[in-house]
Amino acid sequence: MVPKRTCDCREAPHAPGSVQHALDSLRMPGSFLAPLTERLLMEAGLRPGMRVLDVGCGSGEVALLAARIVGPQGWVVGVDCDRGPLEAALERADAMGLRNVEFCPGDASGRPADLFAGPTVLGPEARFDAVVGRMVLMHLRDPAAAIKRLRRRVRPGGFLAFQELDCPVSPLSLPPLELFERACGWILDALRAAGADLEAGLKLRSWLLAAGLPSFSLRVSGCVHADADSPVFGRLADTVRSLLPLILATGAATADQVCVESLAARMSAEARRAHARVQAPDLVGAWAPVPAR
């Protein structure tokens, strides 16, 4: 019998202008990041039948990827401190026919008792075969301490896997595309203003070592798009839309300069005219086994 899934989500969705709301546009199902994350999970050792905790799950793309991999004999719990997108994540799971995943509010950065702020079918003290997260450590005050706390949720012989952005400079286009690179610059400026660590990917090594995980593997993944109809332009425009209040507040651009309603179409047309290739920000992935006792 499939256990009843939970989703105690009564708060408003991510507020426009929040970093979490902006990153949800990159986490949506069908995102160009999905294949990079799926590859990381498989290389880390995710297999059918495992129980998985996805921290900072947002709208659920990583949790849904994991649920497909672990299959009906496995189980996935997605937690996020912002309750807004969790109901939508559960609706996507239903639309995909995935009955082995649940979403509940929780705070990966706080005390262990805060990890599950709502009910979970596995119980509040559950331990997992894998703890995973994408673009979550970049927002935490002390990522190494958070990893150390999350390690306690992994059974001996399991693993932790994280994937973080590495974009100290703007993504590249060749030949250079003025609008594309300006839009990327608006996003990076707004994220920096909000306190996000845009070099989190390159800091994964030191965070894992500080958390007491000396044995780990690293992978750098990226996407190059040579198709003017690539989803990268729509995703970037969605991110700009979500961050627009911050972009305007920092003075990086005016509303007229952004013209967000036509931004994706203008970037795509610019790439088509120039027969250009664009490179999205790199993702650095790391996975570390928890030694069997």
Side-chain angles (χ1 to χ4, degrees), residues 79-290:
V79 298
D80 199 289
C81 61
D82 194 327
R83 304 184 185 208
L86 298 180
E87 188 66 45
L90 187 57
E91 290 174 1
R92 293 187 187 104
D94 288 337
M96 297 168 67
L98 295 172
R99 305 299 301 170
N100 60 338
V101 59
E102 64 172 316
F103 297 94
C104 64
D107 183 2
S109 65
R111 301 168 302 169
D114 295 332
L115 183 57
F116 298 112
T120 167
V121 299
L122 296 181
E125 301 303 320
R127 300 184 84 186
F128 298 84
D129 299 296
V131 170
V132 303
R134 185 176 73 188
M135 293 190 292
V136 60
L137 299 177
M138 63 189 291
H139 304 298
L140 302 186
R141 187 181 303 275
D142 191 342
I147 294 171
K148 192 171 184 178
R149 284 190 290 268
L150 291 168
R151 175 182 175 175
R152 301 172 196 162
R153 290 286 183 168
V154 182
R155 65 162 184 79
F159 67 88
L160 299 98
F162 298 97
Q163 202 169 38
E164 295 291 330
L165 284 176
D166 171 42
C167 46
V169 297
S170 251
L172 302 176
S173 55
L174 187 68
L177 299 176
E178 180 182 1
L179 181 59
F180 169 80
E181 298 206 358
R182 282 168 55 201
C184 291
W186 298 334
I187 293 169
L188 298 184
D189 287 346
L191 291 174
R192 288 191 189 96
D197 187 343
L198 299 182
E199 298 179 3
L202 293 183
K203 297 177 182 178
L204 279 172
R205 177 183 182 276
S206 60
W207 292 340
L208 290 169
L209 289 172
L213 293 165
S215 177
F216 53 84
S217 300
L218 293 170
R219 161 186 277 279
V220 179
S221 302
C223 293
V224 175
H225 301 262
D227 184 352
D229 296 322
S230 166
V232 69
F233 301 112
R235 294 301 181 212
L236 285 174
D238 289 342
T239 305
V240 169
R241 183 192 306 274
S242 299
L243 282 174
L244 191 56
L246 273 174
I247 291 170
L248 300 181
T250 60
T254 67
D256 287 341
Q257 288 172 328
V258 174
C259 195
V260 70
E261 297 302 328
S262 64
L263 182 59
R266 288 184 288 128
M267 285 192 292
S268 179
E270 180 184 46
R272 183 176 292 108
R273 287 193 301 268
H275 302 286
R277 298 183 300 277
V278 300
Q279 179 179 333
D282 287 335
L283 282 177
V284 180
W287 62 96
V290 173

